[in-house]
Amino acid sequence: MNRTYTARIRRVALTVAAGAVLAGTVTACGSADGSGSAASGDSAASAKATAEASSGASQEGSDSGKAAGSSSGGGSAGKGGASSSGGESAPGGGKKGYGQTCGADDLTFSARSETQAGGYLLLSARAKPGVTCTLPGGLPSISFGSKGIEATSAEQSVGPAIKLSGATTAYAGINPKTTKADGGIEFTFLIAAIGTSDPNPASVSTGSVTVDKPIVTNWHTAPADAVPGDGMDS
């Protein structure tokens, strides 16, 4: 009986010990496989999320760069449009172009005395800064004083139109006194206009000159071509 009982106790003890060992093993395996796998899974998920976030940020940065490039391109187009719009403006910042006739207020005039052909006035006309226009062929409209003593033609034919812009200058020669007899009226300025209907004629200083039946040439591009004759009257 004692031996049998003792053997039974040992068997039970071994069984209990084996169960404890098995439970420990299962627990250890569960901890290693379960929680370890979970931890590994969490790490992988975290790494994946980080990678996706990084990829998303990179894609967002790329998209932002594209958007910025598109916006910049739009800005360039806008500038180009503005530039194109400016190019379509009339020459001279919206003033007159070659296809339009100059007015006296578009020009800067000056007059100086010359000694050739018995003496005459050389009238110069130049476009004001930023103005581009065409000076028509024919006589400039020249008169002296409040009485409006007008100069008549010194040439037999009408000259060509002249395009004025920048430093290009047109010249007309004026003989203020074509009569040989004494007399005449003293003036110190003349009135220059482009055609008789010019609404804004210019006053041009001449110095003291005696005026009697004045004559004027057409506009010319060379001063030497703008020398008037001495007149026909005696």
Side-chain angles (χ1 to χ4, degrees):
M1 291 293 293
N2 290 336
R3 290 180 178 176
T4 301
Y5 181 74
T6 300
R8 185 179 298 172
I9 290 174
R10 287 180 178 176
R11 192 177 297 115
V12 171
L14 290 173
T15 301
V16 172
V21 171
L22 180 61
T25 301
V26 170
T27 300
C29 289
S31 174
D33 296 339
S35 61
S37 296
S40 177
D42 291 343
S43 298
S46 176
K48 182 179 180 181
T50 300
E52 289 176 351
S54 175
S55 175
S58 176
Q59 182 64 32
E60 182 179 355
S62 175
D63 291 342
S64 297
K66 290 179 181 179
S70 176
S71 175
S72 175
S76 297
K79 291 180 181 179
S83 177
S84 175
S85 176
E88 292 173 357
S89 299
K95 291 192 176 180
K96 295 189 175 181
Y98 279 146
Q100 294 180 308
T101 301
C102 301
D105 59 342
D106 296 314
L107 308 175
T108 298
F109 295 92
S110 64
R112 70 174 185 262
S113 295
E114 298 288 348
T115 58
Q116 290 175 274
Y120 70 99
L121 297 172
L122 181 64
L123 180 67
S124 302
R126 181 180 294 185
K128 291 179 179 178
V131 175
T132 303
C133 59
T134 297
L135 195 62
L139 300 177
S141 179
I142 303 297
S143 61
F144 293 85
S146 59
K147 293 182 180 181
I149 302 175
E150 296 183 5
T152 58
S153 178
E155 297 187 73
Q156 299 299 315
S157 60
V158 175
I162 300 172
K163 296 177 180 179
L164 293 183
S165 179
T168 302
T169 304
Y171 303 92
I174 303 164
N175 185 342
K177 187 177 185 303
T178 60
T179 58
K180 293 181 179 179
D182 293 337
I185 303 174
E186 296 292 323
F187 292 100
T188 58
F189 68 94
L190 60 80
I191 303 299
I194 309 304
T196 56
S197 61
D198 193 331
N200 299 298
S203 176
V204 184
S205 177
T206 61
S208 181
V209 294
T210 301
V211 176
D212 189 14
K213 295 186 179 181
I215 58 174
V216 61
T217 69
N218 299 322
W219 291 110
H220 296 274
T221 55
D225 295 332
V227 180
D230 59 3
M232 300 297 294
D233 293 335
S234 59

